[in-house]
Amino acid sequence: MKEKLEQLRQQAMQALEAAPDKKALEELRVKVMGKKGSLTELLRGMGSLPPEERPKAGQMVNQLRQELTERFDAREAAMEAAAKAERLAAERLDVTMPGKRRPAGGLHPLNRVLDELIDIFQSMGFDVVDGPEVETEHYCFEALNVPKDHPARDMQDTFYLGPDLLLRTQTSAAQIRTMEGRTPPIRMICPGRVYRADEVDATHSPVFHQVEGLVVDKGITMCDLKGVLEQFAHEIYGPETKVRFRPSFFPFTEPSVEVDVSCSECGGKGCRICKGTGWIEILGAGMVHPNVLSGCGIDPEVYSGFAFGIGLDRLTTTRHRISDIRLLFENDRRFLEQFAR
Ligand code: DAH
C-alpha cells in the first residue's frame, strides 16, 4: 500500500510539473483525485487490507490527498500569474510614441479678411449687425431711393423668389433696417452675402460678399467719411498706400464717391492685378441721401450721415494676390490649406 501510494505520488508530481496549461492540469486533477481517479481507487482498495492496517493506510491516503491538492493549487496559481504577466507585456503602451495627427481646420480667407475688417471698425466704435439675405423690394431698392423703373435696377438684376421677395443684391438693405429700428447716433457695419444674376468668370460670381457701413449723427460731414475710410484703407493695405476718392453715383447717397487704393502688387506702376491703371477700387460710399433719412423717420435737417459698401471678395483677392474669384467658392483644399495657420 505504501509503495503504491509513493508511486502514485511520484507519477502525479511529474505529470503535474509537465502539464502545459490549465486545461491539462484540470484533466490531471480529475484523473488523480476525481471520483474515478487513481487515488480514490486506492482508497477503495483499502477494504482488502487487514483491519489493523486500515487506519494507518487511511491516514497516508489523506496526507497524499492534501499534499497533491496543495501542489495542484500552487501550480494553477503559477500558471495564472504567468498568463497575466504575458498579457500585460503584450498590452504595454509606449506613451512616448508620436500620436496620430488629425488635420486641423482653418478659417476661410474671406473670413480672415472679414475678421481683420471687423477689428478695424470695432476699434472705431462701430458695431456689427446682421440682415436677411431674402429681402423685399422695399428694403433692397425703394427705401434706398431706387424706384421701380430706375435704371440702377438693371445693374442689379437678381433672383426673385416671389412677386415681392428677392435675394438681396446689396447689403445696403441693412442700412434701412438699422435706421428704422434705432435713433442716432448710429455706427454700424453689416457683413453678408449678396446675389446678382451674373455669369461666373474670373471676376464675377452670382454670390459674393459685401460689408455695409453706416454712420448717422448730428454734424457728420464728408470729412468724417474721408477720415474713416482712409484709416480703414491704411490699416488693411499698409500706411504707405495711397487712397483716392473719385466722384461717382449711387441713388442713395449724395454726393457719392468710389474709393481706390494704389495697387499693392505694382506700387502704382500698372500691372495685371490693377489692369494697368495702378489703382484698385475697393468700395463705394457717399453722404446718405436726405430722402433715405426721412424715409426712415430721421429728420435730415437735424441729422446727416455717410454710408459705404465694401466688396469683401475683391478686398480678399487683392490682399492675398488671388488671381481668380472662383477659388474662393470651390473649396479646393490645396487652395484653402495655404491660409490655414
Ligand atoms: N450698394 C453699393 C453696391 O452694391 C455699394 C455702396 C455704395 C454702398 C455706396 C453704400 C454706399 O452704402 O454709400 O454697389
Side-chain angles (χ1 to χ4, degrees):
M1 181 78 188
K2 200 173 167 191
E3 280 118 56
K4 276 189 185 163
L5 276 173
E6 184 52 29
Q7 202 186 358
L8 178 64
R9 182 176 172 278
Q10 280 191 2
Q11 275 174 2
M13 289 295 183
Q14 250 173 30
L16 197 145
E17 291 309 321
D21 54 28
K22 267 178 78 172
K23 188 161 170 266
L25 192 69
E26 205 43 47
E27 278 167 13
L28 185 65
R29 200 197 277 260
V30 172
K31 223 165 97 188
V32 179
M33 313 211 294
K35 270 192 196 134
K36 292 180 185 155
S38 27
L39 191 66
T40 324
E41 236 163 62
L42 267 182
L43 204 59
R44 279 205 201 104
M46 268 172 47
S48 60
L49 288 177
E52 65 280 9
E53 284 180 27
R54 284 182 201 165
K56 177 93 173 115
Q59 203 184 358
M60 286 194 303
V61 170
N62 277 338
Q63 227 169 31
L64 183 57
R65 175 184 292 279
Q66 194 179 346
E67 188 185 347
L68 285 177
T69 304
E70 276 166 20
R71 289 305 292 261
F72 270 108
D73 288 351
R75 181 87 174 101
E76 190 179 343
M79 277 178 173
E80 274 170 10
K84 187 174 173 190
E86 203 174 300
R87 209 173 56 236
L88 284 179
E91 285 174 2
R92 197 185 135 94
L93 279 183
D94 182 352
V95 292
T96 64
M97 274 196 2
K100 283 188 191 137
R101 283 203 180 280
R102 305 230 172 263
L107 285 181
H108 192 278
L110 279 172
N111 280 331
R112 278 183 189 286
V113 174
L114 178 58
D115 282 351
E116 223 179 300
L117 186 150
I118 287 175
D119 268 357
I120 295 170
F121 281 105
Q122 273 181 337
S123 76
M124 292 194 264
F126 285 70
D127 45 41
V128 181
V129 307
D130 203 9
E133 289 174 26
V134 175
E135 266 298 7
T136 62
E137 293 200 51
H138 170 77
Y139 286 106
C140 197
F141 295 123
E142 265 122 61
L144 286 160
N145 215 18
V146 187
K148 277 235 172 324
D149 303 317
H150 197 286
R153 284 214 187 180
D154 278 354
M155 292 186 302
Q156 299 198 3
D157 191 15
T158 184
F159 306 93
Y160 283 81
L161 307 175
D164 187 33
L165 272 188
L166 46 82
L167 294 180
R168 67 178 175 191
T169 58
Q170 47 187 354
T171 45
S172 304
Q175 283 186 30
I176 307 302
R177 291 184 176 273
T178 304
M179 285 192 279
E180 279 180 354
R182 290 204 221 170
T183 46
I186 293 169
R187 268 183 289 184
M188 71 80 169
I189 55 170
C190 171
R193 266 187 221 113
V194 296
Y195 302 82
R196 289 188 200 176
D198 277 338
E199 293 292 329
V200 176
D201 65 24
T203 53
H204 291 87
S205 162
V207 188
F208 57 105
H209 303 81
Q210 289 185 335
V211 182
E212 196 72 17
L214 175 72
V215 173
V216 182
D217 202 352
K218 286 177 184 155
I220 297 290
T221 70
M222 194 87 182
C223 292
D224 299 299
L225 177 154
K226 286 189 77 176
V228 166
L229 295 178
E230 236 166 43
Q231 169 82 6
F232 161 70
H234 283 153
E235 291 209 35
I236 283 276
Y237 286 101
E240 67 294 337
T241 301
K242 290 200 207 71
V243 184
R244 86 177 174 186
F245 294 78
R246 272 185 295 110
S248 185
F249 171 79
F250 298 101
F252 37 89
T253 46
E254 180 60 38
S256 303
V257 292
E258 274 172 320
V259 178
D260 303 336
V261 293
S262 53
C263 178
S264 50
E265 185 70 19
C266 61
K269 285 195 225 60
C271 67
R272 204 171 47 89
I273 302 279
C274 57
K275 298 199 181 100
T277 64
W279 295 95
I280 293 171
E281 183 194 321
I282 57 164
L283 60 89
M287 301 306 293
V288 183
H289 198 290
N291 286 356
V292 175
L293 289 174
S294 55
C296 297
I298 294 175
D299 185 350
E301 298 296 327
V302 180
Y303 291 104
S304 56
F306 69 88
F308 53 91
I310 301 168
L312 185 61
D313 311 83
R314 201 162 158 66
L315 205 64
T316 305
T317 52
T318 54
R319 254 319 282 284
H320 291 296
R321 300 179 180 177
I322 299 164
S323 56
D324 192 321
I325 192 179
R326 284 171 285 202
L327 287 165
L328 295 176
F329 300 100
E330 282 168 353
N331 280 338
D332 185 332
R333 280 180 55 182
R334 289 166 303 179
F335 168 73
L336 295 175
E337 275 164 4
Q338 297 176 49
F339 301 89
R341 241 179 285 155

